[in-house]
Amino acid sequence: MLNNIKNLSLTKKLVYKIVFFIFCLIPFFSGLDSIPPLDRDESRFVQSTYQMIETNDYINIKFLDEIRAKKPIGIYWAQSIFANIFGEDKISSYRYVSTLGALITILILWKFSQILFGQKASLFVVSASMISLLFIFESHVAKTDTLLLSLITLQQFLLLKIILNKEKSILFDLIMPISMWLVLGIGFLIKGPISIVVFIFTLSSYVLWNKDINLLKNIRPFWGIICFMIIVLPWVFIIQKTTDGLFFQKAINEDFLPKLLSEQESHGGYPGYYFLISSLIFWPLASFFPLAFFFVKNNLSNLGIRFLICWLVPFWIIIELIPTKLFHYPLPIFSPLILIVAGTIIYFENNKLNLKSLISKNSVFLFSLLFSLGGIVLSLFLCYLLINFNENKTDQYLYIAILFLISFLILILSILFNIKVIYGKKIHLFNFKKEIKFQNYIIFFSVIFYITIFTFVLPSLKYLFPSKIISDELKKLNYEELSVTGYHEPSLVFLAKGKIILSDPNEAAIFLAEGNNNLVLVEGRELDEFINSSSNLNLKLKKIREIKGFNYSKGQNIKILFFKVAK
């Protein structure tokens, strides 16, 4: 009888854990279809993939008529598979690749956590990994980064398995090393050398730290490089031949080197930039960064923790030193950072922070408090967006109230956890006999926070997505061909299915004169020049629509006017 009750209790706990895990997954699927295409990178990727499908050319990468040499072919192939299955006109079809990358990352982190922290802690670790702002946001964007993260996490997992292995078998001696090199090759096809950089710096740091030169032999570099080349070289050879070497010339000279040597497209920053924004991009777990320092310090002899440090620190230093700074650059080190922070929370559930000085305790608490403020900053930013770009005042105030309430609750819970660990205080709320597990409530409220953002807040910001407003208006109009001047955002190109001519005011006027039922979109700043050009061609213009919006890529309020020739 007692055994039956015990088994029932265990089953109930397992069901609760599974339900909680599924609940944590909801934000990753929220808003995938309702948030319009984003400018500029996402829309460039999806439009290039769309053109691949339309032309049935899966080798050359083009945006309209221009060679797009920003990234290798892998992401376009992956997106085309999903677009062919779910519909090439839907933005969500292309975003599913990033969602899949996030889910694969979560699965590998689960296996990682079993090695590092044991089976019991693994569910908490993966749940904690699912509430980082950077990770969830990038899983909604149809670019390379989340898929690359999944491949980097997999390659690093295989490398750790090789490091920790003590037995002789074909699995560890050949299959795992070869698999690791194959994953490296796929990672190169997704985003060029990033996965290689992570691998080389992790490997070299670990070998130097542990004086483990045998590891270089255990990864089977000879056979591994051959496998890597088998994955990479066929496409490299074909694209070089079909573009007469132009693809890699443009990729290196116009994308890779400019980002290394100078700030690109006004995305610059000084060293320390990512440290300063870490409380935001890694919120809410950034609150535990100061405690993570002590966790690492107390566990430096652990090979798994050493491996995570070798993965995390060198790459973080690299991105801090590179002049170009972009929000998503720290994503390749998301996995080790989250594993360390989750390990910190697990560790300090059963261990004390041995700081004797009150000044030291207060200092750690102060830093923890500062790192906890990311949610408040995020809520203020979203509040600004809602006030300025949401026309429904009722929804506006409701969303603002929800966001601030939840972010404030998470802040309080983070502070209480830090007080408990730093000052050794046992905290009981609402007369509960058991201590509250603050970390579980932080995860729970974070999930609700992200569901609110991606399901309700972002899709409601109509004014922030002028391309979507234009697209909706175009569906109501009858015209033969379309040209636009002054507003050349890639999102409009994708929503117009590539059937659009990007022109200057004079070209737009000529385009209007040459067609029977052509339509021209003119951004307000180029209106005078367009009217003058049209006047020189003796065109009588008819304004049929006018929309307003905000072009966040340029930070400008815009007005788009629709013109036809008056009959």
Side-chain angles (χ1 to χ4, degrees):
M1 182 70 177
L2 287 173
N3 284 336
N4 289 338
I5 293 170
K6 189 177 180 181
N7 290 335
L8 187 63
S9 178
L10 289 172
T11 305
K12 199 174 179 181
K13 281 184 179 179
L14 181 62
V15 169
Y16 284 154
K17 286 180 179 180
I18 292 170
V19 169
F20 188 68
F21 176 75
I22 294 170
F23 171 69
C24 291
L25 286 173
I26 294 173
F28 292 91
F29 296 92
S30 302
L32 289 175
D33 202 38
S34 57
I35 299 171
L38 304 177
D39 284 313
R40 291 175 174 145
D41 280 355
E42 177 181 62
S43 293
R44 286 171 178 158
F45 275 110
V46 299
Q47 175 59 28
S48 298
T49 303
Y50 179 85
Q51 288 179 212
M52 275 188 173
I53 298 168
E54 288 293 291
T55 60
N56 205 31
D57 179 357
Y58 290 91
I59 298 298
N60 292 293
I61 307 166
K62 288 186 176 182
F63 180 82
L64 294 177
D65 295 325
E66 182 184 351
I67 291 175
R68 178 164 165 76
K70 293 285 185 180
K71 299 293 178 286
I73 196 69
I75 187 63
Y76 304 99
W77 284 346
Q79 287 183 352
S80 65
I81 292 170
F82 280 82
N84 276 310
I85 295 170
F86 297 103
E88 61 198 58
D89 295 334
K90 293 181 177 180
I91 185 62
S92 57
S93 302
Y94 304 87
R95 289 172 173 166
Y96 288 145
V97 177
S98 294
T99 308
L100 177 64
L103 298 179
I104 293 170
T105 302
I106 290 165
L107 180 63
I108 302 164
L109 286 174
W110 175 57
K111 297 300 292 182
F112 246 121
S113 61
Q114 287 181 331
I115 295 173
L116 296 172
F117 310 118
Q119 180 73 39
K120 283 186 178 180
S122 59
L123 184 61
F124 168 75
V125 174
V126 295
S127 299
S129 74
M130 294 155 70
I131 59 168
S132 162
L133 173 64
L134 176 63
F135 184 47
I136 293 180
F137 178 79
E138 288 298 325
S139 74
H140 284 76
V141 184
K143 298 192 294 145
T144 56
D145 301 287
T146 313
L147 185 59
L148 178 71
L149 172 63
S150 67
L151 293 167
I152 288 175
T153 307
L154 178 56
Q155 86 187 24
Q156 299 292 89
F157 173 74
L158 293 170
L159 178 57
L160 180 62
K161 292 284 283 184
I162 294 166
I163 288 171
L164 298 178
N165 174 56
K166 301 298 179 186
E167 63 182 73
K168 286 281 182 183
S169 69
I170 191 169
L171 175 64
F172 290 101
D173 292 344
L174 189 63
I175 295 174
M176 276 202 178
I178 295 302
S179 299
M180 182 187 70
W181 285 97
L182 291 172
V183 173
L184 267 167
I186 298 169
F188 182 87
L189 288 181
I190 296 297
K191 202 174 181 176
I194 302 300
S195 56
I196 300 171
V197 170
V198 172
F199 174 74
I200 289 173
F201 277 92
T202 304
L203 180 66
S204 56
S205 302
Y206 189 87
V207 167
L208 288 171
W209 191 352
N210 293 281
K211 300 179 177 60
D212 185 8
I213 200 73
N214 287 329
L215 180 58
L216 299 178
K217 182 182 73 174
N218 294 343
I219 62 172
R220 301 291 181 264
F222 177 76
W223 292 110
I225 291 170
I226 290 174
C227 292
F228 178 86
M229 294 300 183
I230 289 171
I231 294 288
V232 170
L233 285 183
W235 175 75
V236 170
F237 174 77
I238 294 169
I239 197 67
Q240 279 290 89
K241 188 175 180 180
T242 55
T243 63
D244 293 323
L246 187 61
F247 182 89
F248 282 102
Q249 181 183 330
K250 283 173 69 71
I252 293 168
N253 295 333
E254 296 179 17
D255 185 51
F256 185 68
L257 287 179
K259 285 179 179 176
L260 287 179
L261 302 177
S262 62
E263 61 182 70
Q264 195 178 43
E265 297 177 359
S266 302
H267 297 300
Y270 293 104
Y273 172 83
Y274 293 112
F275 177 77
L276 290 175
I277 68 167
S278 61
S279 65
L280 176 63
I281 62 177
F282 294 114
W283 179 82
L285 296 179
S287 173
F288 310 112
F289 282 1
L291 292 179
F293 171 81
F294 295 98
F295 166 69
V296 169
K297 182 183 173 185
N298 294 346
N299 292 276
L300 270 180
S301 59
N302 184 292
L303 293 181
I305 300 302
R306 286 191 177 194
F307 177 82
L308 295 179
I309 295 167
C310 292
W311 179 358
L312 171 66
V313 174
F315 193 83
W316 194 313
I317 292 170
I318 290 168
I319 59 175
E320 290 285 15
L321 294 177
I322 291 172
T324 301
K325 298 286 191 290
L326 288 168
F327 179 81
H328 61 270
Y329 276 12
L331 201 59
I333 50 174
F334 163 81
S335 296
L337 191 62
I338 293 304
L339 286 167
I340 287 172
V341 172
T344 299
I345 294 169
I346 295 164
Y347 178 80
F348 283 114
E349 278 220 299
N350 303 308
N351 296 275
K352 291 182 179 180
L353 181 64
N354 294 317
L355 291 176
K356 295 180 180 177
S357 163
L358 184 60
I359 295 174
S360 299
K361 290 180 180 180
N362 290 342
S363 300
V364 174
F365 177 72
L366 178 62
F367 278 109
S368 299
L369 180 61
L370 291 173
F371 277 107
S372 300
L373 296 176
I376 302 298
V377 174
L378 179 59
S379 295
L380 286 170
F381 175 67
L382 292 168
C383 176
Y384 169 81
L385 294 181
L386 284 164
I387 291 170
N388 288 278
F389 305 116
N390 182 306
E391 295 176 353
N392 189 323
K393 296 297 179 185
T394 305
D395 288 350
Q396 183 186 110
Y397 296 131
L398 175 63
Y399 298 153
I400 289 171
I402 291 171
L403 292 173
F404 272 107
L405 175 63
I406 295 175
S407 59
F408 183 73
L409 277 171
I410 293 170
L411 174 64
I412 296 300
L413 290 165
S414 301
I415 290 171
L416 289 174
F417 182 90
N418 279 289
I419 289 173
K420 173 189 160 188
V421 173
I422 295 167
Y423 297 100
K425 304 279 187 183
K426 287 191 176 182
I427 300 170
H428 299 272
L429 296 179
F430 311 115
N431 294 319
F432 289 154
K433 291 183 179 178
K434 280 189 173 182
E435 279 192 86
I436 291 176
K437 294 205 170 190
F438 299 112
Q439 59 271 30
N440 292 344
Y441 286 96
I442 289 170
I443 294 170
F444 175 78
F445 286 118
S446 297
V447 171
I448 296 174
F449 188 86
Y450 290 125
I451 291 171
T452 305
I453 291 175
F454 291 104
T455 306
F456 303 107
V457 174
L458 294 181
S460 75
L461 304 174
K462 309 292 185 187
Y463 192 71
L464 205 56
F465 301 105
S467 293
K468 181 66 168 64
I469 301 171
I470 294 169
S471 175
D472 291 341
E473 291 299 321
L474 289 174
K475 290 172 185 175
K476 304 171 188 175
L477 299 174
N478 177 35
Y479 62 93
E480 287 186 5
E481 291 187 81
L482 177 67
S483 178
V484 61
T485 177
Y487 181 75
H488 292 176
E489 296 304 330
S491 56
L492 181 58
V493 177
F494 172 70
L495 290 169
K497 301 179 183 178
K499 295 172 183 174
I500 189 169
I501 298 169
L502 308 181
S503 59
D504 61 34
N506 186 53
E507 291 168 342
I510 295 170
F511 168 83
L512 206 55
E514 290 179 343
N516 293 323
N517 188 30
N518 287 352
L519 178 65
V520 166
L521 311 179
V522 182
E523 203 278 315
R525 291 170 180 81
E526 300 199 347
L527 180 60
D528 291 342
E529 191 177 346
F530 170 73
I531 289 173
N532 289 336
S533 297
S534 300
S535 179
N536 292 336
L537 295 169
N538 296 318
L539 286 177
K540 290 184 178 180
L541 299 175
K542 181 183 179 184
K543 188 179 86 169
I544 56 174
R545 288 284 194 284
E546 180 180 319
I547 70 102
K548 292 180 180 180
F550 183 78
N551 185 351
Y552 54 81
S553 296
K554 291 186 175 180
Q556 296 175 340
N557 287 301
I558 60 169
K559 180 172 65 176
I560 306 290
L561 301 99
F562 295 48
F563 285 102
K564 279 188 175 184
V565 175
K567 293 183 180 178

